[in-house]
Amino acid sequence: MKKFVVLFFIIVVSGCTALAVNNWHNKYGKPEVKQRIVAHHSSDGQFYQSAVKPVLESRCVVCHGCYDAPCQLKLTSAAGIDRGISKELVYDGTRLVAAKPHRLFIDADSTSEWRELGFSPVLNEYPESPANNLAASLLYNTLLVKKSNRLPQVAQLGDEYDFSLDRTATCASIESYQQVAEHQPSLGMPYGFPAIDDSEFNVLQHWLMQGAKMTNLAPVDQFTAQQVEKWEAFLNQAPAKHQLMARYIYEHWFLTNIYFSNAKEQYFYKLVRSTTPPGEPIDVIATRRPFDEPNVARVYYRLQRNQASILAKNHIPLALNNKELARLRQLFIATDYTVSELPSYAVNVASNPFKSFAQIPTEVKYQFLLDHSQTIIMGFIKGPVCRGQVALNVINDHFWVAFVEPKRVANANMDEFFHQVDDLLAMPAEEQSNALPISSWVKYARLQAKFLARKTAKMNESFAGGKGLDMSLLWQGEGHNDNAALTIFRHFDSATVVKGLVGQAPKTMWILDYSLFERIHYLLVAGFDVYGNVGHQLVTRLYMDFLRMEGEQNFLAFLPLEERKKLRNHWYRKAPKNLVEHLESNAQFNQETGIKYQTNAPKAELYSNIKQHLSAVLNTRHELANDEISQALGELNSLPNTAVQQLAQISFILVKQQGQHKAFSLLHHNAHFNISSLLNEGAQRAPREDTASLVNGFIGDYPAVLFYLEQYQVNEFVTQFSKVKTEKDYIQLKTQFAIRRTHPEFWRYSDILHKTAKQNLQIEYGIFDYNRFENK
């Protein structure tokens, strides 16, 4: 009913918009786009960088950052502020036809072009004067409305506030905003949080009054400029072998935030395709996917400065240095193979890496993926596909990941095998962004079944009698690379991947081989279009079911035959009949494991063996320290189920100790009978099996709760938490220990949180997102 009322109100307001626009035109004149970018060294530029930008980042960007920013208002850069707002949704699981992309720095080059694409301003575009600059600024007026309508001093805000991710947004223009605000004063900004303080308000008011002048980032130092030049030269050499290498690297790194680890200051770059060679201004080739037809005779791979604020939810840092350069030369150039011709950009080739990169040996490609496995998987976790429960209900809430040893695929037989089956490895991106869900689903289901039959036959041959099916099959990171073991946490509609085998022994684990790793990337990262139609999104989600099960099957292969079926049946309780048939028809790997088990708990024993096998490279940053605070909070790992069920998905805990803050993350793992239900996940939930993990540091980008404790409160906090049985108990716990969104000093604690995170995460640090902050 609340959404219906909001929708009805929007319709009424929309009907009055034309009249309001005419009134504004009569009063102020005709609006036109203004040039606001000034030199970095100018007084206006310095004021923006030193005074304005910090306020925007700490108070506004926490909600207005990426694709899921309300009204697409991205306040992370001058270009995003100038672009303004749009009523169109990026995340729309119901559209029948793919939408036109609206990517900053890609799909339009100027504010005028954004106006033509339907974006309306948040800054004054009417004739300029100090008074007009405020009166005609939507940004200013939203702040002013909050100043005039302070949050009520209550624990939980009422129904006038809607914090659901799919809420209906008004996205009112300045011409109609006054009407909207009169009826909905709760829409003042920051939405659902306290107003910014007077000093911050005055900074923004002065900036806006003076015309909201902005500047881009300052020029980089000479060392960084030289590194850019060196890497662009490496990626744009003429021989076909080099060109194919560069294309492969680009298609796997295009989402990363690249930096040079030896630089005194860290600047981030995006690897982009350009029509222009190094030394000339970058002209980005704007395609939906990184492998789409570029429509130029020669593609150049360029490093484009990242102008936007760094957000935790999409920050994928990647360090480049001389060691990395030498590694790429060793893998792609020094290895003996010939590139006779460059592959086509035809969609059936370009969307299938087993065809487009067939000339590169399997071991080379696989080792490249392994070297930075966390970075590659972050593309799936932090790329645009990850937003939303429908996209993520294809994975469990907590599982470990390990990898097959690349030397086991280092032979011509594997290259020949992938050549023989490359047609079976076609993926949904072949249908581009407008797919028919049913027919596409049937097509790719059949291809996957045929591939699994071929793969299983090869595995039965390779591991006959269990030979080689033991710990030696798992990659040990060459003795030094901690990418060999990862943990993935799902937080209902977001996710995180970290290094190490973190938390208690999980329900499931994935073992990734080359073909599986590559397909996950091309399905969920390179081949996924967030602007695609419902068919594209559904088929992508359904195909990932196959890949998840394949990773799980690889893990089960290490267990005794009788244990495999028992575990599989437990993982897929209450599963649809067609899924059970799929599992049974493809569960034909019938070789016994080569591991000699010593106990009656083979799964637990296998986990222990894997930990021991990878012990030299296990990252332990998230393990609890052996100090009093950590050990006391560690009791939260054993919370009773009644308490766990009340937990938010991600809770951060800050403990103040001698003027410093220790940080912990408390994560709620939702249990399921199975995770193969596309639209009715709730029916598959097994809440009595829910668990929680308390880990050191920060895991998660969307905190829902912030607990703030003095050192002396730790034991009492743990004691009270263990007694939580109902929502009322949980709310009482928060009253005593949490910083709610309505706390009058919320922003001071938010600053403490971000300062602590920056110290803790360093190069991995990004601004947290508050769109999921709990209202309890």
Side-chain angles (χ1 to χ4, degrees), residues 232-363:
E232 286 191 345
F234 171 69
L235 292 169
N236 290 288
Q237 297 176 72
K241 191 173 184 180
H242 289 78
Q243 288 194 51
L244 188 60
M245 170 200 70
R247 176 171 166 177
Y248 186 80
I249 290 173
Y250 165 72
E251 291 184 15
H252 291 81
W253 282 3
F254 71 99
L255 285 182
T256 63
N257 279 330
I258 290 170
Y259 68 99
F260 302 105
S261 58
N262 296 325
K264 291 181 180 179
E265 292 189 53
Q266 303 300 345
Y267 308 97
F268 292 104
Y269 289 83
K270 292 290 186 184
L271 185 58
V272 299
R273 295 195 300 181
S274 174
T275 65
T276 53
E280 296 182 15
I282 293 174
D283 178 20
V284 174
I285 298 171
T287 56
R288 288 179 180 267
R289 296 176 176 84
F291 52 71
D292 284 346
E293 171 62 63
N295 291 312
V296 293
R298 171 76 191 273
V299 171
Y300 296 97
Y301 299 95
R302 306 289 303 279
L303 289 170
Q304 183 180 55
R305 182 85 179 277
N306 184 359
Q307 295 287 336
S309 305
I310 300 300
L311 309 177
K313 60 186 174 183
N314 63 7
H315 184 35
I316 307 175
L318 174 65
L320 297 188
N321 48 47
N322 289 336
K323 183 179 178 181
E324 181 66 29
L325 190 61
R327 178 65 159 179
L328 294 177
R329 284 193 175 116
Q330 172 202 349
L331 288 176
F332 289 98
I333 307 304
T335 302
D336 184 18
Y337 65 96
T338 301
V339 177
S340 58
E341 63 178 349
L342 293 175
S344 160
Y345 281 103
V347 66
N348 66 312
V349 174
S351 65
N352 185 337
F354 304 94
K355 289 186 174 183
S356 56
F357 300 109
Q359 296 172 95
I360 303 177
T362 299
E363 184 187 10

Side-chain angles (χ1 to χ4, degrees), residues 526-545:
F528 182 77
D529 178 16
V530 69
Y531 295 94
N533 78 334
V534 61
H536 167 69
Q537 297 185 46
L538 287 177
V539 175
T540 298
R541 157 54 178 92
L542 290 166
Y543 190 89
M544 184 57 200
D545 251 339

Side-chain angles (χ1 to χ4, degrees), residues 148-218:
S148 305
N149 298 273
R150 302 268 178 170
L151 282 186
Q153 295 300 299
V154 294
Q156 185 173 3
L157 295 172
D159 287 345
E160 68 271 24
Y161 290 91
D162 184 357
F163 298 113
S164 59
L165 288 180
D166 62 345
R167 63 181 178 268
T168 303
T170 58
C171 304
S173 65
I174 184 59
E175 292 85 358
S176 59
Y177 181 72
Q178 186 175 358
Q179 279 185 304
V180 172
E182 286 176 358
H183 291 85
Q184 291 183 278
S186 60
L187 292 179
M189 297 294 158
Y191 180 69
F193 288 106
I196 62 177
D197 68 30
D198 289 343
S199 63
E200 294 164 339
F201 182 86
N202 291 337
V203 165
L204 296 185
Q205 179 176 254
H206 174 78
W207 170 64
L208 292 165
M209 186 182 295
Q210 299 304 313
K213 302 300 182 183
M214 296 176 284
T215 183
N216 292 319
L217 301 180

Side-chain angles (χ1 to χ4, degrees), residues 581-602:
E581 291 173 349
H582 171 80
L583 285 166
E584 290 178 349
S585 65
N586 289 291
Q588 300 168 1
F589 178 64
N590 52 21
Q591 302 304 313
E592 187 54 270
T593 176
I595 300 173
K596 305 300 181 185
Y597 286 91
Q598 308 298 316
T599 70
N600 293 324

